[in-house]
Structures are given as structure tokens and as C-alpha cells.
Amino acid sequence: MSALRWGHGASGLRRALWPAGRPGPLAEEGALSGVWGRRRSSSASPCEQDRRKDWGHAELLEVLEARVRQLQAESVSEVTVKRVGMARQLPASGGLQPPGKAQTGPEDAATAVSGRWAQKLDKEKFAMEKRKQRLEVKLQVRAQQLACEHRLRVVPRLLDAQLASCLQHWEHGAPRSHWEEQLAQLLQEAPRKLSHEAGQAPQAEGASVRRESQQQSLLAFFECCLLTGHLPLAHHVLVTFHSRSRQQRRLTLAMYNTVMLGWARKGSFKELVYVFFMVKDAGLAPDLLSYAAALQCMGRLDQDTNTIQRCLDQMAQDGLKLQGLFTSMPLCQEEQAMVLRAVHKAQPAFSLPPRPRPPPQVNTSPLLREIYAKQSGPVSYPKLHLPLRKLQSLFQQQLDVEMATTVAVESVEKARVLTKEVLQARNTLKQLRAEWVQALSLGLQELKASEARAARAGRCTIFPYLCVLTEEELAELLLQTLQVLPPQGESLLSLAQQLGLRVFNRHTVHRKQLSSQVRALQQRYHSYLHLLASDTPVETPHLPRQYWEALGAPEAPHEQPWPLPVLVQLGKKLAELLVGAVRMPGSVAAPQGPRTLIPVLYHVYSFRSFRQIGILKPHPAFTELLATAAERTLTFEAAEVPMLCPPLPWTSPHAGAFLLSPTKLMRSLEGTVQHQRLLDGCPPAELHGALDALTQLGNCAWRVNGRVLDLVLELFVAKGCPRLGVPAPPSEAPRPPEGRLPPGASPTHKARVRRELARCLKVAREMHSLRSDALYRLSLAEHLRHRVFWLPHNMDFRGRTYPCPPHFNHLGSDLARALLEFAQGRPLGPRGLDWLKIHLVNLTGLKKHEPLQARLVFADEVMEDILDSADRPMTGRKWWMEVDEPWQALACCMEIARAVRAPDPAAYVSHFPVHQDGSCNGLQHYAALGRDSVGAASVNLLPSDLPQDVYSGVAAQEFVWEASHYLVRQVFNSLQEMFSGTRAIQHWLTESARLIAHTGSAVEWVTPLGIPIIQPYHQDSKVLISGGIQSLTFSQSGDTSQKPNTLKQKNGFPPNFIHSLDSSHMMLTALHCYRKGLTFVSVHDCFWTHAADVEVMNQVCREQFVRLHSQPILHDLSRFLVKRFCSGTRSPKHSKNVWIGKLQDTLKSVPKTGAFDLEQVKHSTYFFS
């Protein structure tokens, strides 16, 4: 028996034999009292509790039997020996003392005790055997009951008496042809009944939200059952729900259709008719998908013409078009063929309608007219610097990465000397992981069996979701999660959500692998690369999205995400399994032999942000083992790592970015569906501007700045350098006070010690978080050091863009940005070196208020320091360390040094990105909206010889530090006076949002580029997932069916609206720079390009800002909001309509604008600089 398995028995025996009423030994840190005690056993079903007791008693009985045999053997041998000894040492009188009077020494006493133990154990053994027999009988009876109860139901119990009688007649002895007749009658009668949903009284808002959440989970359960081959189970649960009137209200036509489609694919006509009976009993009218299922099934079974014709006639009477079965239904090619076969039998002349050509999609935004006009001047879309064959090779490498779903990256932590201790720790981890995989696989089998039993009882469980991956795949996923768990632990809710999402993502990738999508993707992508490769000219220039769409049919239907409650419930069960199954010896350094096993994870409660939350923490022994082993491999999800080939162009809200890994176009909290609904309902052409801008940002090729990386790693593997943004290792964390408090310590002293301990723990947590973040970033940088890579982009609900890979991108800190440079270089040209120098001075922060020429002069003055920094960054004068952005400044120093030392600086090929920042960009948009001349001058919309600082216009120098709160108030009062137009617009936006929220709606608008926006601020709806080691309660606050949060809606509207404008400006700049052949990326209002192209980018940036604000943005917003929230008839007596009236008056009172001339922005040097 392995030490792991023996430990289970030993620990169980120790707990079982601990005397009642006596406290157990003090649990060392990590003891899972909350997991292994009353909480866990109370969550088990009675059957499971009985089985656990039975196993525990059987195990105890075996131990007791062994102890009895041992004691009996010892007793016999001891008595024999002692008797012999006593016979040899008889008293001189030769007389024997009576047994009751004999003198007993210590050995004789031990013999008597052993005898009593033997008698006592005999009695306990007899009692245990009797109890075991009773338990066996009880379990057999219960198993028989479960077998009867959990037999899968096929025939539904109908609530309508007439229908139930009809079904019973057809069920008993009816020939097959009568079933066909019954289906025809059902199709004729079903539309006459009203939906049960229409006749229900309106529900309270909370109940409505809960019901919608339950329906989403139930539909996902049926769909997952079909995907995993458990159609009879789905039918059984559908029948069970339908048979209970309260549960039947949760069922929707989509659920019935899902099960019907499953039976249709199998050609199971009788079961399909059962579902149609339930549809009619529920008062629902079959839709086009219902008829598609019926016809598909009849096509597979070659049904008679009369039944098929009656079905088609009923479709026509219901107003459903036959062509719709082939143009608007989510059926695969084989399913369509079966439907067509049935139709041809009744209507031989029917021919498939030609595939409808999508109507010409024209983006209606006047801002994008030039982008999409066929004759709009010369276009020079950029090519990549790599040839076709290289790009095809990179595609295959990326495809392999995503099919593997994870990426192994070598850590940059300082490698430990391979001592005996390190090797032993690594070997121990290897052995433990092998045992953990087995334990987790067995646990998963038990969990599946338990969830299957619950599903057979008619409940919607996580059973089908556990079947989307193999036990080995799930076990590996759980161990990867365990590996990266921080020492301070992670919230159970967060961990559960992450686990559920990872299972879904891997399931999605596996589904694509099993279908023909991968092969089709490979062929299409290889053709697409002709547009991007350096050695494959194309006749007509196209945007990447346009070229991709012209290559073939639309993408396959996307995988519907699982509802958030399902993700959390699945992840919670997996996390609890991880807690229960993964154990390790309490001391890995102990000699070989019997050892007590401890759980690797334990569950505790902690306060975070004044709330008590459940946390899973790794045991300190496991953390120590990991630290000792110092393994060199980090594992990332494929979607967490930059891509090795250009991303897929965004073509819809569901298609783009990674090759296989699912990615959202609009990032949002899991479970939020309102953004996706808006995007799905938006005409495709209206999203083209956003889709093409995101594609262009993702097509920028990157490489690692190796010289900067070497210097950072040098500091990182030493003791870090927090001053330069290189986090220190945990060994540098402050140590908490050592020793115990003296017995007479005063309360003040105790409180001081507690505060110091809390401070040390807080600092240690923060240091670990920062160190881990830097470790991931630097390890990925080292992994990609000699490679070209790409960063696919998506956007938030306001339209602001972000790279999808979270750990290594250009949106990070100064250090993160310094590690990146463009993979494609450009000669500096006549002005490129000057822009490098200006950029360096901007990074120092030393000449913010000086003109560009003065910054150039300053750069020349400190050229000696610049070159010294480039040549001797760690040993020279270290000028670069004293500036605002030290690492980017150092990288720029190195680039300038290479350029000035080149034979011809203008011909030097530079890969360095130069930035141009907006000057208080939010206030710039406000000033442009209000045509505010004073505000415009303060934020550099007006041409000037010197850059203007909005805060320098506030005379605050006379205020002393002690009155800083007064200073702040005066600054903002002065800002409001300077930006009077801004204040009026803010007030109008805030008041409009407040009134919209009072009408019961969330604020919506459409950006100037056509992106639909909705604010995700709603009253929280609590979702409870009970049972297990902890009940989880989480909020769902992102759905339109929930009441809006008025405070967040009104406070969020002004900044969010401005952010939607700055994202529109950035996207316009990106698209027009792409037309001119520039490399362009952005960090919100900071635009990047090559040094040689800064002047062109600056021109485009200013032109597009003027074009954007030349539109009647506020009036367009007013018209949209009036149409969206104030249309329709109203009754003055209804309270909601009073708010609508006020809202309409407010929306029509658009703030008046000033006299500022927008054209002056084109000539402002410091607008972006």
C-alpha cells in the first residue's frame, strides 16, 4: 500500500479512535476543519453518507481484527512464558497459591490488561459485524429503490387530461402509421393554444431575473447533453420538468426544440412525437426549428408522402416559409440533406433556393465614407516584412499551440544549484503529481456518478459539463491551477469561475478540432496570407477583413458560452474535488515509512474589503516544497500568450483574433449578455469601422528589445530594484515580530504588535503579487526573445481597445513598454533622429513646458549623458535612472546612440516606437464639443508657441501645504470657470442619465463610428450556489432585465461618453494611417508609430479630430435618446411617464456651443505631442 493510500486510512483511524469528549490535537496551519468536519458531511446525500459510514466502519473493522489477533497472540505467548517462569521459581514450601491469591507483578498486570482488551475488542467486533450486516441490507434496499426511481423516463406525464388520454390511447398498441397520423394532428392543433407564458401574471423583478437565469442554465444543460451523447438523459429531465406544473413554467420552446433535434438526428420518431405532445401540452406553437426537426426525422425514416405534405401545409398555414428551413436554420449540411429528402418526397419539383447573397453592406457613418469608398484616392496598405512561406510556418506553429491549449515557458527566476535537497523535492513533486492525477481521476469518476444520479432524479446538474473533457484532461487542468495558486490563497468564487471558464475554452477548442473547421481554416488562412506577405503582390488593395470575407463562406456557428451560474457551479465542484483529493505527507523530509497525509489545500474565511469571503490556500508545506524544488516551467493558457502569426481579422462579434481559442469582441464581466445582444442586433456594416481598426492594431508585428531585457533580468534575479519598477523577491519582505508576547503585555503593546503583523503580511502579499506579475512578463519576454509575435485586440463596452494577452503587452508599465519594439523597421529619414531626441526628452519629464526646439537643444546638451547611459547603463553616470520613465528613456538612449554612430543616420533602420500624447484628452473632447474657446486654449486645441498646461492657469501658488484640501477645491472651481461649456455638457449628460434610469432603463448610445454602447450598471441580483465546503453568493448586475443603478448610471455617463469619443478618434486615426502605409498602435490617447512617420501621424490625428467634432455629436445623441426612450404613447397618470416627460424636455435642451473654430486644431503643434 502506498504511503498516500495508507495515510488516508491512518488519518481516518486516528480520528475515529480519538476519545469522545476529549479535544483533538491542535491543528497545524492548513488543517481543514471546515472541510473535513461537519460542513462537508452535512452536504452529502443520505445514500452517500451511508456509503461513507460503511466504508469507514469496514476499514475500522479490519484494523480492529488485526489488533485482536495481535493481542491474542501476545497474550498466549506471555501467559505461557510467565507460567513456565513461575513454575521454575516456586516457593520452597512447594505449595501453589490459589489463583485469586497469587502475587502479581508488573508483567502479570500487563497480561491481565491484554486479556481485558481482547474481551472488549471481541464485543466491539461482534457489534460492528452486526451493524455492517444491517448497513449492507439497507444499502441493497436503497440501491433497488434508486434503480426503480432513476430509470430514464421516456413517456411524458401530460397535465392536459384530453391530451393525456390521447397519448395513452396511442401509446398502447398503436401501429407506427398511427404515430405519423398523431404528429400531423399535433401540428395542426398546437398553434391554436396560447403560450403559457402569455397567460401568466407579471412577476416581480427579482423573480423574473432568477427565472431567466434558471432558463439559461436549463437550456445549456440540454445542449451539453446532446454534445456529450446523453440525449436520453436530456429527454428524461425534460419529461420530469414538464410533468410538474411549477417546473414546467421554466421550459421554453428552445428547450423542446433542442431535444427534438437530438431525436431527429437519431431518426427516433416515437420519442420526437413525445416531445411534440409536451409542446402542445405546454401551450407553445412550433416554430421553424420544430418543423425542421420533424422533417429531418421523417427524411431519415423515409416517411410516407401524406404525413410530410400535411406537415408542409401546416407550416404554410402558420406563416412559415419552406425556404427558411435552408436559409435561416442552424443545421449542418447532412441535416439539411435529410430535410430536403423529406421535402422532395412530397414536392419533387422543389429545388433548393440559391444561397442568398448578402445585401450590399454599406457603412452609413459619414466619418468612414472615405475608408470604404471604391474611388477615394491612392491607397498603400502596408505589407509585413516576412515572406509567404515563413508566415505559413508561423501559422502552423500557432495552430499547434492552440490545439495543445497551454504553453510551457521557462521561468527567468534564478536557477538554484541542483543540490540533493532540490533534486529530492523535484522527485517528490513528480511522484505526488502522478498520485494526484490518479486520485483526481477517481474523484472525477465518483463526482460524475453522483451528478448522473442527481440528473436521473430529474434535476439539472453539471454532469454533462464534466463529460466534455476526459478525466485525465480535467485532472491536468486542476493541477495546473494548483501550481499557480498564490501563497495567500485565492477566493473560492474567483477560482471557481476561472476553472469553469477554462473547461469551456478547452471544450470549444476540442470541438473545433473534431469538426472540419481546422482544415478549412488552414486553407483559408494560407490564402489570406497572400495579402500580408512581403513577396506576394495583390492586384487590388483590400482591408484584411474584406479580403478574408471574399475567400469563402461565413464562419461556422459560434459556440454559445455557458451561463455564469453553470461556470461557477462547475468550477466550485472541481475546486472542492481538488481540496478533497490532493494530499501530501506532512513532512516530506521525514524518513520513509508510515506518514500522516495532510490536505494540500485548505479552506478558510478572511476579510477582504470589509467582506468575509471563503479562500482556498495552499498548505505551507506545499508552498515550501514548491520553493525548494524551484521548478523552471510556467504554464500559460494559449490565449494568454502573444500570437506567433497574424491574428484572424475581426469579421463579426464572434469571429476574430485567435485561431481556435474563443475571444469576445467586447470584453465584459462573465454572465453579462446585454453587450452581446446589442452587437448581434446591430447591422453588420455598422461595425466595420471598429472591426477593421481592431484588426489593424492586431496586425502590428512586435519583437523583444533584447538589450533592455538583459538589464532587467540582471536586476530581477538579484534582489530587484523597486525604484526602477523591478519588484524585490519575497526574501526582501519585512519580517513580522518574532517571539511570543510577554504575559503581562499591555493592551496598547498587543495592539501595536498586531498592527505591525498585519502591515508585514499586507506588504508581503503586495510584493508577491508584483513579483509574480513581473515574473510572468519577463519569462514571456525571454520566451519570445528571438521571435516575431502579434497582439490581437478587442475592446471594452465604451469602444476603448486593449490587447488580449494580459501579461506581456504595450499597455503595461514603463518597464513593460521598454521591452517592446516594432518587428518591422523604417529608415529614420531626414527628421527621424530629431523625433527620437524629442521623444527622449518627453520621457524624462524635464521640459514639459518648453517648445519642441528647446527640447531638441536640451537633448544635444545632454548627449554625453545619453551616450553614457547607452554604453554603461549600470556602471556609468546613470542619468537615465533619474527621469520619469527610466526604462523607456534608456531604450531610447540606446536607439539614439546607434543612430548617431551610423554612417548615415537618415538611413539607419529604426524599430523604436515614438509616442505622441494627447494633452488632457478628455478635456480636449469637452472643449471641442462645447466649442469653448477658453477651454480649448488651455488644452492646446489652439495654436501657441508654448505648450499650455491646464493647471498652470489656476493661480494656486499662494496656498500652503496645510491648506491642500482648500487648494484642491479652488483648483476644481477654477477649472469649472475656465471650462464653462464643459460644465454645461457634463450637467446635461448627468441629468439625462438620471432621468433615463428613473424610467427603468440603462443608458444606451451609439458612437460616431456606429458601435452600440450600453452602461452595465444595474441593481445586483444575487445568485446562490449552496452545498459543499461553502455556499457561494455572487451578483449578476449586467443584464437589461434588471433595474438600473441610478447613481452609477448618472455618474458614469459623462466619462464613458467621452471615452467613446476618444476611442472613435483613435480608430479613425488608425484606419487612415493604415491607408497611408504607416505602422500604428495606441494606448488609448497615446499614439505610437515609427520616428520617420511621426509628422504624417500627427497630421492624420489632427484631421480626424476635426472631422469627428465637425459632426453634430450632441444633437445626434439627443435624437437617438429621444427615439430610444421617449417614443410611444403615454398615459399622464403613470408615474413612469412623468419621468419620460421630464426626460424629453431635458434631451431637447441641448447645451449651446461657443465660437471656437475647430480648424485651428490642425495647426496646433501641442495638440498631441
Side-chain angles (χ1 to χ4, degrees), residues 120 251 286 365-366 374 398 401 412 415 454 484 751 861 905 975:
K120 185 176 180 180
L251 299 178
S365 171
K374 293 184 178 179
Q398 178 65 25
V401 165
V412 296
V484 299
E861 289 173 354
L975 284 176

Side-chain angles (χ1 to χ4, degrees), residues 655-669:
F658 291 95
L659 303 181
L660 301 177
S661 305
T663 311
K664 293 180 179 179
L665 173 67
M666 187 172 281
R667 55 176 63 192
S668 59
L669 294 174

Side-chain angles (χ1 to χ4, degrees), residues 1073-1087:
C1073 284
Y1074 193 71
R1075 282 176 64 85
K1076 294 179 180 293
L1078 272 62
T1079 297
F1080 175 92
V1081 291
S1082 78
V1083 181
H1084 304 319
D1085 60 349
C1086 177
F1087 298 169

Side-chain angles (χ1 to χ4, degrees), residues 311-328:
C311 181
L312 296 177
D313 293 341
Q314 190 60 47
M315 270 185 63
Q317 291 182 28
D318 292 346
L320 302 174
K321 295 184 178 180
L322 180 57
Q323 290 83 355
L325 293 172
F326 305 96
T327 58
S328 59

Side-chain angles (χ1 to χ4, degrees), residues 864-1145:
E864 189 176 342
D865 288 327
I866 293 172
L867 298 178
D868 176 77
S869 297
D871 297 337
R872 299 182 299 156
M874 296 300 180
T875 59
R877 293 192 290 269
K878 303 178 184 178
W879 173 81
W880 64 277
M881 291 187 182
E882 308 303 323
V883 304
D884 285 358
E885 308 284 352
W887 289 108
Q888 292 178 83
L890 175 60
C892 196
C893 287
M894 294 176 173
E895 189 74 358
I896 290 173
R898 285 191 291 264
V900 299
R901 289 166 177 166
D904 179 8
Y908 172 74
V909 177
S910 173
H911 296 257
F912 195 82
V914 174
H915 311 168
Q916 295 286 278
D917 284 314
S919 177
C920 297
N921 191 238
L923 292 176
Q924 287 178 328
H925 284 284
Y926 270 123
L929 283 172
R931 302 296 195 273
D932 188 339
S933 297
V934 176
S938 302
V939 291
N940 295 300
L941 296 188
L942 277 173
S944 63
D945 296 331
L946 293 174
Q948 300 299 306
D949 182 358
V950 63
Y951 299 108
S952 66
V954 181
Q957 288 80 1
E958 69 271 18
F959 298 108
V960 293
W961 185 85
E962 287 78 8
S964 59
H965 62 285
Y966 178 70
L967 168 63
V968 170
R969 188 165 61 249
Q970 290 301 316
V971 167
F972 281 99
N973 287 340
S974 301
L975 284 176
Q976 285 191 342
E977 292 175 9
M978 293 168 60
F979 291 86
S980 56
T982 295
R983 183 176 53 184
I985 294 170
Q986 283 181 330
H987 176 74
W988 182 70
L989 293 173
T990 301
E991 184 64 11
S992 299
R994 184 182 73 85
L995 295 172
I996 289 171
H998 275 299
T999 66
S1001 301
V1003 179
E1004 298 179 34
W1005 70 98
V1006 177
T1007 73
L1009 292 193
I1011 305 172
I1013 307 293
I1014 183 169
Q1015 294 195 141
Y1017 311 132
H1018 299 267
Q1019 300 290 351
D1020 289 348
S1021 172
K1022 301 295 184 183
V1023 177
L1024 173 66
I1025 297 179
S1026 57
I1029 61 177
Q1030 174 195 338
S1031 293
L1032 290 180
T1033 302
F1034 58 93
S1035 301
Q1036 282 189 297
S1037 60
D1039 202 346
T1040 49
S1041 61
Q1042 297 163 231
K1043 185 185 248 183
N1045 184 317
T1046 303
L1047 183 63
K1048 289 185 177 181
Q1049 290 285 344
K1050 77 181 186 68
N1051 290 343
F1053 189 28
N1056 289 336
F1057 181 72
I1058 294 301
H1059 283 317
S1060 73
L1061 294 183
D1062 72 44
S1063 73
S1064 297
H1065 175 225
M1066 186 279 297
M1067 289 182 176
L1068 285 169
T1069 305
L1071 291 171
H1072 282 272
C1073 284
Y1074 193 71
R1075 282 176 64 85
K1076 294 179 180 293
L1078 272 62
T1079 297
F1080 175 92
V1081 291
S1082 78
V1083 181
H1084 304 319
D1085 60 349
C1086 177
F1087 298 169
W1088 298 18
T1089 192
H1090 288 95
D1093 298 326
V1094 171
E1095 293 174 349
V1096 178
M1097 182 185 75
N1098 277 339
Q1099 178 188 355
V1100 172
C1101 167
R1102 286 153 177 78
E1103 290 174 351
Q1104 296 311 311
F1105 185 87
V1106 171
R1107 289 191 66 215
L1108 172 66
H1109 283 283
S1110 297
Q1111 305 299 312
I1113 294 176
L1114 293 180
H1115 287 276
D1116 286 346
L1117 176 65
S1118 172
R1119 282 191 290 271
F1120 174 84
L1121 295 178
V1122 168
K1123 181 179 179 181
R1124 174 67 181 83
F1125 299 108
C1126 302
S1127 58
T1129 58
R1130 303 193 302 273
S1131 168
K1133 296 182 179 180
H1134 198 286
S1135 61
K1136 178 180 176 181
N1137 294 322
V1138 174
W1139 291 110
I1140 293 177
K1142 292 181 180 179
L1143 172 62
Q1144 188 163 9
D1145 294 340

Side-chain angles (χ1 to χ4, degrees), residues 322-323 326 340 343-344 347-354:
L322 180 57
Q323 290 83 355
F326 305 96
L340 184 62
V343 173
H344 274 163
Q347 299 181 9
F350 176 81
S351 61
L352 271 178

Side-chain angles (χ1 to χ4, degrees), residues 152-159 163-164 166-174 179-180 182-183 186 235-236 238-239 242-243 251 256-257 259-260 263 268-282 297:
L152 295 181
R153 296 172 62 181
V154 178
V155 183
R157 185 173 71 85
L158 304 180
L159 302 181
L163 275 176
C166 182
L167 175 61
Q168 187 176 13
H169 167 73
W170 290 97
E171 173 67 18
H172 295 288
W179 283 96
E180 299 165 359
Q182 182 62 31
L183 175 61
L186 285 170
H235 183 94
H236 167 78
L238 182 71
V239 168
H242 183 89
S243 302
L251 299 178
Y256 293 105
N257 283 345
V259 178
M260 272 196 287
W263 290 125
S268 301
F269 191 75
K270 187 174 181 180
E271 288 79 1
L272 183 137
V273 174
Y274 285 143
V275 180
F276 264 105
F277 262 105
M278 290 188 281
V279 169
K280 179 179 179 182
D281 190 49
C297 191

